[in-house]
Amino acid sequence: MNKLTINACPLCGGTNLDKKKTCTDFYASGEQFDLYQCRDCSFLFTQGVPVEKEIGKYYETPDYISHSDTKKGLMNGIYHKVRTYMLQKKAQLVSQASGKSTGRILDIGTGTGYFSHTMQQKGWNVSAVEKSAQARTFAKKNFNLDVKDESGLQEFTPASFDVITLWHVIEHLENLNDTWKRLHELLSEKGTLIIAVPNCGSYDAQKYKEFWAAYDVPRHLWHFNPDTMKRFCEKHNFEMVDHLPMPFDAFYVSILSEKYKKNPFSFVKGMCTGATAWIHCLNNKDKSSSIIYVFRKK
């Protein structure tokens, strides 16, 4: 298997890289992967992941919810209930952040298409990109969405979109700096970029350490916190307008983390940690399990 070896930090270019911890792929393979951190800028990333052409098997499980839409099991049932609420909140955020009630929007990594469908219902002109053929088929069958595969990102005309969204997607993408550059090209003047990612500086990440479910190796290559996200946006000629907590994520992630630790009563313990994490992010949103970042194109 060909693996991606990172010799220089994609954020600052530094070559002083330290191994910080080893995480297990509890979800699919049981394999272990190392997390490295740049000594110069503190950016954290997964080292030695399979290259993009070979990583597909790590998503090939019927329980990978963003691709399969499965409702099997308690955790996936909870996910769907929370998602229904969050879809409306995300749509509100798009309008508030962009100052537009309708416009041209691109959703990258649309999964089974629920968010794209929601925006379409609200009158937006929607384009969507998704790598998983299974998810694209679901989106077509259930929402009549013509979702492009990942190569479609190169087909759009520059300055085509008022808003671009990536909901828990950019941490999966191998060519990180190229992606940021392309996002800037595709946005219209003063266009809005919305990115949601797990926060490796969160309360629950610090509690669970190598068992933190949102490390999700090897599917997650990059592990962001508010400081590194701000640095990336500045590097690629964006300004950070706001960053908002996603407190529900702490419950889901904490329950999974307890499960990975093989703790008894993992659901109850995870809910308790999720509640504690919620309180922490009320006092400091930088401690939220996941964060939504709103950027404006300069």
Side-chain angles (χ1 to χ4, degrees):
M1 177 177 293
N2 296 310
K3 294 188 176 182
L4 179 65
T5 300
I6 300 169
N7 297 313
C9 173
L11 177 52
C12 72
T15 55
N16 297 312
L17 310 177
D18 296 328
K19 178 181 172 181
K20 299 301 290 185
K21 56 175 65 75
T22 299
C23 297
T24 301
D25 175 16
F26 295 101
Y27 204 82
S29 70
E31 297 173 25
Q32 292 188 319
F33 297 87
D34 294 329
L35 302 190
Y36 275 66
Q37 188 172 48
C38 175
R39 200 182 303 166
D40 299 321
C41 72
S42 299
F43 185 52
L44 187 68
F45 53 88
T46 310
Q47 185 70 277
V49 302
V51 295
E52 190 169 355
K53 292 181 179 179
E54 299 180 19
I55 203 170
K57 74 171 188 177
Y58 293 90
Y59 292 87
E60 291 171 2
T61 165
D63 294 330
Y64 198 74
I65 192 166
S66 68
H67 290 175
S68 71
D69 202 59
T70 179
K71 295 181 177 69
K72 180 181 177 181
L74 178 63
M75 286 300 303
N76 291 331
I78 292 171
Y79 175 93
H80 279 270
K81 291 183 183 300
V82 172
R83 181 176 63 184
T84 300
Y85 170 78
M86 287 302 297
L87 284 171
Q88 298 305 315
K89 299 296 287 184
K90 289 175 179 178
Q92 291 174 15
L93 174 61
V94 167
S95 293
Q96 291 169 1
S98 66
K100 297 177 179 292
S101 57
T102 60
R104 303 162 298 168
I105 186 170
L106 170 64
D107 187 36
I108 300 174
T110 198
T112 46
Y114 280 88
F115 174 72
S116 290
H117 177 61
T118 298
M119 298 310 294
Q120 201 170 54
Q121 287 183 313
K122 293 183 179 298
W124 284 73
N125 182 349
V126 178
S127 297
V129 172
E130 170 55 47
K131 183 175 183 177
S132 167
Q134 178 186 1
R136 294 197 304 272
T137 298
F138 182 99
K140 178 64 176 178
K141 178 180 178 181
N142 291 274
F143 304 128
N144 198 32
L145 287 168
D146 291 318
V147 181
K148 296 180 180 291
D149 65 21
E150 66 270 28
S151 65
L153 194 61
Q154 305 306 318
E155 299 173 8
F156 298 116
T157 303
S160 293
F161 300 102
D162 304 302
V163 179
I164 299 177
T165 55
L166 299 93
W167 304 105
H168 288 284
V169 171
I170 202 166
E171 64 269 28
H172 295 260
L173 303 180
E174 180 177 311
N175 298 308
L176 185 56
N177 283 302
D178 289 345
T179 298
W180 277 96
K181 181 180 178 181
R182 185 62 175 152
L183 296 174
H184 193 274
E185 290 174 350
L186 291 176
L187 276 171
S188 59
E189 185 179 356
K190 302 296 183 181
T192 301
L193 173 63
I194 299 176
I195 299 178
V197 287
N199 174 23
C200 67
S202 66
Y203 169 83
D204 42 305
Q206 293 169 357
K207 174 181 173 65
Y208 289 113
K209 298 180 174 60
E210 69 270 18
F211 289 96
W212 189 51
Y215 282 130
D216 199 24
V217 295
R219 289 162 295 277
H220 290 186
L221 284 72
W222 320 110
H223 310 286
F224 302 94
N225 62 32
D227 179 65
T228 54
M229 282 299 285
K230 187 173 187 295
R231 287 169 180 249
F232 267 111
C233 90
E234 292 172 348
K235 177 180 179 179
H236 291 280
N237 207 25
F238 289 93
E239 63 174 323
M240 184 185 291
V241 177
D242 202 358
H243 63 294
L244 309 166
M246 300 182 75
F248 283 124
D249 283 28
F251 292 93
Y252 183 80
V253 170
S254 296
I255 293 168
L256 275 180
S257 301
E258 292 286 349
K259 179 182 175 182
Y260 293 163
K261 293 183 73 174
K262 298 183 178 179
N263 282 338
F265 309 108
S266 59
F267 181 83
V268 175
K269 290 182 177 179
M271 289 295 287
C272 289
T273 299
T276 303
W278 188 317
I279 293 170
H280 276 266
C281 80
L282 288 176
N283 294 323
N284 182 359
K285 61 186 177 182
D286 287 0
K287 294 298 182 182
S288 178
S289 186
S290 294
I291 295 178
I292 301 172
Y293 297 89
V294 180
F295 304 108
R296 186 72 34 77
K297 178 180 176 177
K298 290 183 179 179

